[in-house]
Amino acid sequence: MRRLTRVARALLVLLALAHAALACACAETPAAKASTWTGITAAQRAEITQLAEPYKRFLAAARTAQRATREEVKQAEQAGFVPFREASQCRPGARLIFSAHDRAVVLVVVGSTPIVAGSRVVAAHHDSPHIDLKGRPVVAAGEFAMFKTIYYGALKKYQWANLPLALVGRIDTAEGRTVEVSLGLEPGQPVFVIPDNAPHSDKDLRTRTYADVLAGEEMDPVAGSIPGAKTSVVDEVLASLRQAYGVKDADLVSAELQLVPAAAPADVGLDRGLIGSCGQDDRLSAWCATRALTEVKGTPALTAMAWISNNEEVGSINNSGAASTFLTSTYAELVAAQQGDRYRDLDLRHALRAAQVVSADCCDGVNPLFPQTSEASNAARLGGGVALKLYGRGFNANAEYIARTRRVLDQAGIPWQTQTPKVDVGGGGTIGGFMSAVEMEVIDVGVPLLSMHSPFELSSKIDVWNLYRFMKAFYAAR
């Protein structure tokens, strides 16, 4: 009997240990939450599906920041927006376009209340990781001509090998011409490929680490392979560029040419619940902000703006990035137009301080293959709704502004979740810090992606719909 008691006790100890181990394992794996797909009507599902189609068309056209600007301006012009040219345009209900060198844009619907008393801004960026051509872009490598490149933004270099790439951008000549370049996006056009090494001959490369499968100077695609009778393959490639675009070799120095994934946006999964495309970080937010603003009806109480910036993936630099004074200059134009001869610099400061901003940018979603890289209780999930980004360490929005944003979401019936990366593992940021620096009230939001910063990112159609609805509610909130 005593022996049976000891056995029973041992079994109880083993059961307790197993329960503890299971609890630890669960703590490392994000707990499942109800998908927002389960709480919608048939009519809403149809609306979600319908909204995804113009979004995919935008992604197909907006392969660079300049092309994204063009598409956003086109969308705004179709809704009655016009370029800002003079102060007399700034009247209640006016729909205005402010452009930053065709690479960034601020869209404005002027409210009935003076802008010094308050405004609502949705800020996003429309640049994304890609590969730039260097100023002297064509070199010889064995029997081939290669494009010399420098990558842009945080990306995993190995993901860009063996992938059809398109060449997109512009060439500006010393004579003042701008030549558009687009090669590889249409059926029948050639594409460009960074060739990987075959498994039959890569033994000496197998010790490379995960991050260094390709080095930066190895991200060069094949540009050509046929030499002329008396000319090299490099000469032939340069001759092809000269003939196709009417430019000189030196004009390639004053060019902005990018290699981007050639694949078209597509639905993903048998249920078509996901959208796959390059550039969704952060053209997703840029498109939602633009569409929501163009659907503002009449004259809002507070001036509403969509601020779509450039170069976020490399620090928001240059004169079209969020670190520039473009947004504050736009505010100055609007305030001066309303104040007239009474305008003072202090009026601009008051307008910035009274502004409420949503800084929208995509975030990393829980990956079904690698759930351990997310922290269970604070990870954002695809299909989970709008993510309120809570970074900690002084980077969060003020508590009262978070509460105000929650109220907008709840009153509009929009599901939301939170996003905080695992401590000491990784993270990211948005352009919100640049606006906080001039005393604007800013909160960071977004929706999660899978395969973020890859050549084919995945978003959930219902998250796109919910972010768009939130932006509409934010513009309209009192």
Side-chain angles (χ1 to χ4, degrees):
M1 186 72 181
R2 235 176 248 169
R3 185 172 177 184
L4 283 174
T5 301
R6 285 198 299 272
V7 170
R9 286 176 180 168
L11 286 172
L12 287 172
V13 170
L14 288 172
L15 285 171
L17 289 172
H19 179 75
L22 181 61
C24 289
C26 290
E28 287 299 316
T29 304
K33 294 181 181 178
S35 169
T36 56
W37 283 104
T38 62
I40 59 171
T41 65
Q44 288 173 325
R45 183 181 286 267
E47 183 180 337
I48 292 165
T49 300
Q50 185 178 11
L51 185 72
E53 295 309 306
Y55 172 53
K56 287 187 293 184
R57 290 195 294 271
F58 169 78
L59 291 172
R63 300 298 182 115
T64 68
Q66 288 188 54
R67 289 182 168 226
T69 301
R70 188 181 305 163
E71 293 300 313
E72 291 145 6
V73 169
K74 184 189 303 182
Q75 187 175 348
E77 288 176 338
Q78 290 170 351
F81 286 70
V82 297
F84 176 81
R85 303 197 188 282
E86 57 184 33
S88 62
Q89 294 175 276
C90 187
R91 59 188 182 277
R95 298 178 165 224
L96 306 173
I97 301 169
F98 294 78
S99 178
H101 311 282
D102 298 325
R103 291 160 178 82
V105 67
V106 177
L107 305 174
V108 180
V109 180
V110 180
S112 58
T113 305
I115 197 169
V116 293
S119 57
R120 295 187 181 275
V121 183
V122 175
H125 70 90
H126 55 200
D127 62 306
S128 64
H130 61 265
I131 302 173
D132 287 321
L133 262 59
K134 291 183 178 180
R136 301 290 186 180
V138 187
V139 299
E143 304 301 319
F144 301 95
M146 313 293 283
F147 281 139
K148 288 303 297 179
T149 68
I150 180 169
Y151 63 90
Y152 173 104
L155 49 78
K156 294 180 178 179
K157 296 186 283 292
Y158 70 85
Q159 293 179 338
W160 292 73
N162 312 319
L163 187 74
L165 300 172
L167 183 65
V168 183
R170 61 188 282 173
I171 303 171
D172 285 83
T173 72
E175 296 77 30
R177 291 186 302 117
T178 296
V179 182
E180 294 284 335
V181 176
S182 179
L183 197 58
L185 295 178
E186 299 298 329
Q189 291 183 337
V191 296
F192 306 91
V193 177
I194 300 170
D196 192 10
N197 210 74
H200 308 77
S201 57
D202 68 349
K203 181 179 179 181
D204 293 341
L205 303 176
R206 293 176 192 174
T207 56
R208 292 191 178 191
T209 63
Y210 167 77
D212 296 319
V213 174
L214 277 180
E217 287 291 349
E218 294 171 334
M219 295 183 69
D220 297 340
V222 173
S225 59
I226 303 176
K230 296 182 180 181
T231 55
S232 71
V233 64
V234 168
D235 293 332
E236 291 298 306
V237 167
L238 289 171
S240 295
L241 290 171
R242 289 193 297 268
Q243 182 177 359
Y245 299 107
V247 297
K248 303 171 186 175
D249 295 352
D251 291 328
L252 298 176
V253 173
S254 52
E256 296 177 34
L257 296 174
Q258 302 178 9
L259 290 158
V260 300
D267 291 342
V268 176
L270 292 174
D271 55 12
R272 297 179 177 267
L274 303 178
I275 296 169
S277 175
C278 66
Q280 295 202 73
D281 176 22
D282 187 37
R283 292 180 192 131
L284 187 159
S285 300
W287 183 82
C288 288
T290 302
R291 186 176 179 100
L293 187 70
T294 60
E295 294 181 2
V296 169
K297 304 298 183 185
T299 302
L302 296 178
T303 294
M305 303 186 193
W307 160 216
I308 314 300
S309 71
N310 189 20
N311 293 330
E312 190 274 345
E313 299 295 356
V314 289
S316 293
I317 56 174
N318 219 309
N319 55 8
S320 56
S324 75
T325 61
F326 176 58
L327 180 62
T328 54
S329 295
T330 299
Y331 264 87
E333 293 271 18
L334 294 168
V335 175
Q338 292 183 339
Q339 298 291 82
D341 294 339
R342 297 176 291 113
Y343 174 78
R344 304 171 301 160
D345 179 68
L346 192 58
D347 296 325
L348 171 60
R349 303 300 168 189
H350 288 162
L352 295 172
R353 191 176 299 155
Q356 297 179 33
V357 181
V358 166
S359 177
D361 202 346
C362 294
C363 59
D364 189 16
V366 177
N367 190 305
L369 297 180
F370 309 106
Q372 70 275 16
T373 63
S374 300
E375 189 269 299
S377 57
N378 288 283
R381 295 162 175 78
L382 271 71
V386 176
L388 304 180
K389 296 185 178 183
L390 304 176
Y391 305 104
R393 297 166 175 158
F395 288 96
N396 291 355
N398 297 327
E400 61 270 29
Y401 193 46
I402 297 174
R404 193 180 307 153
T405 304
R406 285 176 44 223
R407 184 163 63 248
V408 172
L409 288 160
D410 292 342
Q411 289 177 348
I414 299 168
W416 56 271
Q417 55 186 325
T418 60
Q419 164 68 10
T420 302
K422 248 185 172 181
V423 178
D424 294 335
V425 169
T430 73
I431 61 175
F434 299 103
M435 290 170 284
S436 295
V438 292
E439 298 189 76
M440 302 171 97
E441 193 77 271
V442 182
I443 186 169
D444 290 317
V445 307
V447 295
L449 301 178
L450 292 183
S451 303
M452 192 170 177
H453 277 217
S454 80
F456 204 70
E457 299 169 314
L458 305 181
S459 66
S460 173
K461 290 182 179 180
I462 197 168
D463 289 339
V464 176
W465 179 68
N466 279 318
L467 184 64
Y468 150 76
R469 291 200 303 138
F470 165 58
M471 290 175 179
K472 288 190 70 172
F474 172 75
Y475 284 135
R478 298 288 179 176

